[in-house]
Amino acid sequence: HSPCPALAGKRLLLVEPNATSRRILGALAATWGCTLRATAAPTEALQWLGHGELFDLVLVNLHFPGTDGLSVIRSIRALRQLEHLPVGLLAPLGSIGQAPTELGIGAIVTKPVKALALLDTLRALVSGTALQRTGRTTTSSAEVLAHDYPLDILLAEDNPTNQRMATLLLSRMGYRVDIANNGLEVLHALAHHPYNLVLLDVQMPEMDGLTCARELNRLHPKATRPYLVAMTANAMTGDRENCLAAGMDDYVSKPVRPHELKRALVGAAEELAIRKAAPAPAPEASPSAAALPPAAGNDDDAPMFGTTSMFGTAGKAPAPVAPVSPPVGDNSPAPAPELPGAPAPHPQRPVRKSSEGRRAKAVAAARAALAAAEAAPLASEAFDSSALEFVLPPEPEQALAIAREMFDGFFHESADRLVDLQRAAETADVETASRVAHRLKGACAMIGFREIEQLTGAIESEARAGRPADPETVARLTPAFETARDAATRWVDQIAQRVA
């Protein structure tokens, strides 16, 4: 960690009962240039503030013996001239949803606290750009979706780069999202907070998305459990059937294109409204693969989000409607079932055969697209900035801070992953090579480092075939990372010039 100019000299008041947390959070804040004053006792913090000690920002833990953080913040706001003091709340994942708006809580920092998330929060609190779930007041077109289709979202995704990009994209739509790193964390979070939508990555450590979906369906009836949306890059019909069989409500393919995510969010909000207004319907026959749109992309390491604009349709976001069946060779989604309440097709045998034929053609089209993608020449561009440009906020100062955080986090984590791959190549460790290459490829596809994405993709393909990582390919990663860092630095410098 290094000093952060935005935080240099800022006085931080930390109210945290756990001594270890105070020490760690204090050490992080100090490395970024903050002057820290910490206490385990809310009464002591209120005494300091009441006696006129000045602070630039405050972090308050949610839980204390005999009281809670919301009460502490309420007492802070009651003191003279502290109505606008930037205050953040430290809270375990899922322990709080909508904090009272009148408390003016600038941000909710999820515990266990991650360094980059804390840095982002402190910057935002100091700059006045921090927003929490109930604090959004802007009415830009990017936030109309959350206004019209409110959702309480939990994202289950283990890749830090994908987590950050997902947060940025959903923020553009007006949503605040909490993060879980695997299915076990999802179950824990839902035990403490009633999220109504869970975006579930299929491949996660400890508990994957399909296992988590099965467990949620075992624990809760459909009418009361969250709406579940699977995220995976697999293009085969069997994988879509697996998502349905596990109890998923919807499916989006990686790379998740903004308009496709928008469709899923609108569908979730409308289905949740139906569940709330009416009793659960009687059990139906086993769903077919057509109940979910077919995947796009050619493997599990496709970037999580594409760059197609989500605002191509004016006005209110459309509800998901069954598309027209595509001809052979068309990459359009396969026909989806009619929405609840819509007239059923005439039950004559020719209609069923025609539907099956269209579905077979859609599968053939998906396989053709997969083959074409695999045969396409590899791009040589070291850094494709289009995905980041799409999700970054328009304000240059905010865009600069977020871009720097994204790259710092990526290169910090990737340094360890590169060492892991080098060791895997030396020891012919196929399992480690596959796992690490998969993780690196997903992050690079997301953030836009195409050369590294191609190299790690080749390593993973070899590992899936049971072959160890090629030392020459692994050796090419070191200069590829240097090239990527140089390209990213030049791009960030361009943003910094706009700020200047």
Side-chain angles (χ1 to χ4, degrees):
H1 304 291
S2 58
C4 173
L7 300 177
K10 299 299 183 183
R11 288 179 55 82
L12 168 65
L13 173 58
L14 174 62
V15 192
E16 163 64 63
N18 185 282
T20 301
S21 294
R22 287 199 307 276
R23 184 172 66 255
I24 294 174
L25 296 177
L28 287 172
T31 63
W32 297 325
C34 289
T35 300
L36 179 71
R37 186 108 149 114
T39 179
T43 53
E44 187 173 32
L46 291 171
Q47 185 179 29
W48 294 341
L49 292 166
H51 289 171
E53 285 199 45
L54 299 178
F55 295 94
D56 297 293
L57 62 163
V58 180
L59 284 179
V60 180
N61 191 62
L62 177 61
H63 299 298
F64 292 92
T67 186
D68 62 77
L70 298 181
S71 299
V72 176
I73 296 172
R74 188 171 285 107
S75 298
I76 292 174
R77 296 301 184 205
L79 296 173
R80 291 183 58 189
Q81 299 180 342
L82 295 182
E83 297 91 343
H84 304 293
L85 177 65
V87 176
L89 184 68
L90 298 163
L93 177 67
S95 60
I96 188 168
Q98 295 185 342
T101 308
E102 66 273 11
L103 296 184
I105 297 173
I108 298 175
V109 186
T110 300
K111 298 182 75 174
V113 177
K114 296 184 178 179
L116 289 177
L118 178 63
L119 176 59
D120 185 36
T121 297
L122 295 181
R123 283 172 174 161
L125 286 171
V126 167
S127 65
T129 60
L131 293 171
Q132 52 98 10
R133 193 185 306 274
T134 58
R136 290 191 177 273
T137 57
T138 58
T139 56
S140 66
S141 60
E143 299 193 352
V144 169
L145 189 69
H147 180 270
D148 291 344
Y149 301 94
L151 292 165
D152 202 355
I153 302 175
L154 179 65
L155 169 70
E157 164 65 57
D158 68 303
N159 189 306
T161 300
N162 286 355
Q163 290 175 357
R164 189 61 174 128
M165 292 290 280
T167 301
L168 290 170
L169 181 56
L170 287 163
S171 177
R172 283 198 59 178
M173 299 181 183
Y175 296 102
R176 182 188 180 277
V177 59
D178 287 334
I179 303 294
N181 292 286
N182 54 60
L184 292 177
E185 290 190 10
V186 170
L187 299 178
H188 177 77
L190 288 170
H192 292 82
H193 179 73
Y195 297 99
N196 56 14
L197 171 63
V198 182
L199 298 171
L200 275 170
D201 185 38
V202 169
Q203 292 193 5
M204 293 183 291
E206 298 188 61
M207 179 184 284
D208 61 51
L210 298 181
T211 303
C212 181
R214 294 187 191 99
E215 185 67 9
L216 288 173
N217 279 279
R218 185 185 70 82
L219 294 172
H220 308 284
K222 184 174 181 178
T224 60
R225 67 157 171 76
Y227 191 91
L228 306 178
V229 177
M231 299 185 300
T232 180
N234 290 336
M236 304 307 292
T237 303
D239 295 308
R240 298 195 298 274
E241 290 176 332
N242 288 339
C243 290
L244 284 170
M248 299 287 190
D249 296 293
D250 201 354
Y251 172 105
V252 292
S253 58
K254 290 184 178 182
V256 178
R257 295 170 176 84
H259 70 275
E260 179 66 6
L261 179 60
K262 181 179 179 181
R263 177 204 63 75
L265 296 176
V266 171
E270 293 184 339
E271 171 63 21
L272 287 167
I274 293 173
R275 292 182 188 177
K276 186 176 181 180
E284 299 178 355
S286 299
S288 70
L292 296 178
N298 61 345
D299 58 38
D300 290 329
D301 289 311
M304 186 169 183
F305 296 98
T307 56
T308 306
S309 174
M310 62 185 172
F311 304 118
T313 303
K316 198 170 185 179
V321 180
V324 178
S325 58
V328 176
D330 194 333
N331 291 335
S332 303
E338 298 293 336
L339 296 174
H346 195 278
Q348 290 181 346
R349 188 173 181 83
V351 174
R352 183 173 58 84
K353 284 187 174 180
S354 176
S355 175
E356 291 174 354
R358 289 195 299 269
R359 189 176 307 144
K361 290 179 181 179
V363 172
R367 289 174 175 166
L370 173 62
E374 291 176 340
L378 296 178
S380 60
E381 191 173 12
F383 173 50
D384 177 3
S385 63
S386 57
L388 266 178
E389 288 172 352
F390 183 83
V391 300
L392 287 178
E395 299 80 4
E397 294 86 355
Q398 294 184 39
L400 179 62
I402 292 173
R404 282 174 172 166
E405 178 200 346
M406 288 286 295
F407 291 130
D408 287 347
F410 171 81
F411 286 112
H412 177 75
E413 183 194 13
S414 298
D416 293 335
R417 302 290 80 78
L418 181 56
V419 171
D420 292 339
L421 272 181
Q422 291 168 342
R423 290 174 179 168
E426 293 171 358
T427 60
D429 185 345
V430 175
E431 181 180 352
T432 297
S434 178
R435 173 177 51 80
V436 176
H438 175 90
R439 187 177 183 87
L440 264 178
K441 181 183 176 182
C444 291
M446 187 69 218
I447 206 168
F449 293 134
R450 299 298 174 224
E451 183 180 5
I452 307 174
E453 176 190 354
Q454 293 156 12
L455 291 172
T456 51
I459 293 170
E460 186 193 13
S461 296
E462 290 293 293
R464 285 182 172 179
R467 293 185 287 269
D470 176 26
E472 292 185 5
T473 304
V474 174
R476 291 171 58 191
L477 283 171
T478 298
F481 270 101
E482 293 174 357
T483 301
R485 188 187 294 272
D486 291 342
T489 300
R490 289 193 299 270
W491 187 71
V492 170
D493 288 343
Q494 293 176 0
I495 302 178
Q497 290 174 5
R498 296 203 300 268
V499 174

